[in-house]
Amino acid sequence: MRKCKVLCAILLIFALVSCLSVFTGAAKVRVVDKTSALSVSEKASMADDLETLSAKTGADCYFYYSTVHVDDIYYDDLCRELNVQVDDTAIILAVSRVAGVYNYRLFTNGKANKKITGGDYSGEVAKILDNPGVYDNIKSGNLTAGVSAFCEVTAEAYEKDGTIVAKTIIGIIVGLLVSGITTAVIASSYRRKLKAPIYPLSKYANLDLTVKSDRFIGSHVTRTRVSSGSSGSRGSSSRGGGSRGSR
């Protein structure tokens, strides 16, 4: 009995430790403020939007705010600071404020590279960065609204990419099914259609055909010159044949 209690206690402790480790691993730091300019409420609002984006995409989403220009941020150093591993799927929005000017850049890692395609000036990346809600808010320093807009358009880009292939495949399958069913119905109707009966010509027609030939009847006239006798008179006689007349 005592051994059973000890075993149960060990299993309970193991379960608690496992749950604690899972909870700790899930509680990622989404917002990194290197400028110390963001308030607690701003960080909380950004973190909520990034958590929602992570739930929709399955990627680890981060906001990185620095005084170093985004073009001078080394990606490998950024990944190390955010603890993003090589195979991790991650989306990072980096914003910098240098001499009062805001600049921003989108970094992707892992499977997110295939989901959000194109460079800074083309493809889905450009659509996200040039979105008015993202561009206008970040450039004007309204970072909370800019991050919120960024999360919305990025989620749409992810959903669009994930559903295009699926919708295309479904459309092809539905088209094949519809065409197959239509063909089967038409073929079945032709099989069931009765052929027209052969008209019994010999039964209803009393026409007897005989072979006839027509012979052309012509006429000819033979004239013979006859010399006269002692009387001294001259004449002519004619003979002809044919039933239709002579001349």
Side-chain angles (χ1 to χ4, degrees):
M1 190 69 179
R2 182 177 297 177
K3 291 182 180 180
C4 184
K5 290 181 179 181
V6 173
L7 181 60
C8 291
I10 293 174
L11 292 175
L12 180 60
I13 294 172
F14 179 77
L16 291 174
V17 172
S18 299
C19 292
L20 181 61
S21 62
V22 171
F23 178 78
T24 303
K28 292 181 178 294
V29 177
R30 302 295 184 185
V31 179
V32 176
D33 181 15
K34 307 296 287 187
T35 66
S36 301
L38 297 176
S39 64
V40 176
S41 60
E42 287 176 329
K43 291 180 182 180
S45 178
M46 293 177 182
D48 290 340
D49 290 332
L50 293 168
E51 285 288 351
T52 302
L53 179 60
S54 295
K56 291 180 179 179
T57 61
D60 292 329
C61 304
Y62 303 93
F63 175 70
Y64 187 83
Y65 189 27
S66 173
T67 56
V68 178
H69 197 284
V70 289
D71 292 338
D72 297 329
I73 296 176
Y74 292 98
Y75 180 66
D76 292 340
D77 295 338
L78 182 62
C79 288
R80 278 193 292 269
E81 187 171 354
L82 297 176
N83 195 26
V84 175
Q85 304 301 318
V86 176
D87 297 330
D88 290 346
T89 301
I91 300 172
I92 307 169
L93 175 62
V95 177
S96 64
R97 182 184 180 185
V98 180
V101 179
Y102 292 89
N103 293 285
Y104 60 107
R105 191 172 182 180
L106 172 61
F107 297 95
T108 59
N109 192 72
K111 294 180 180 179
N113 293 332
K114 297 180 179 179
K115 291 287 187 176
I116 305 176
T117 59
D120 292 342
Y121 304 102
S122 63
E124 291 295 332
V125 173
K127 291 180 182 179
I128 294 172
L129 298 181
D130 293 338
N131 180 273
V134 178
Y135 181 89
D136 294 339
N137 284 305
I138 292 180
K139 284 296 185 178
S140 62
N142 191 357
L143 301 182
T144 304
V147 171
S148 179
F150 168 81
C151 292
E152 290 181 4
V153 295
T154 303
E156 291 176 359
Y158 240 75
E159 182 181 358
K160 178 181 178 181
D161 179 84
T163 56
I164 284 177
V165 177
K167 288 182 178 180
T168 303
I169 295 175
I170 292 174
I172 294 173
I173 294 175
V174 171
L176 291 175
L177 289 175
V178 171
S179 60
I181 293 173
T182 304
T183 304
V185 170
I186 294 175
S188 177
S189 64
Y190 272 104
R191 289 195 189 99
R192 294 180 180 179
K193 186 176 181 180
L194 297 177
K195 294 182 178 180
I198 300 175
Y199 185 77
L201 182 62
S202 60
K203 181 178 180 180
Y204 297 103
N206 295 323
L207 179 64
D208 294 329
L209 299 177
T210 58
V211 179
K212 292 183 179 182
S213 62
D214 291 335
R215 178 177 298 175
F216 176 75
I217 298 176
S219 66
H220 62 276
V221 176
T222 303
R223 295 179 183 275
T224 304
R225 185 185 181 104
V226 180
S227 61
S228 60
S230 59
S231 60
S233 61
R234 295 189 301 176
S236 64
S237 64
S238 64
R239 58 181 182 179
S243 62
R244 291 186 135 182
S246 60
R247 65 178 180 174

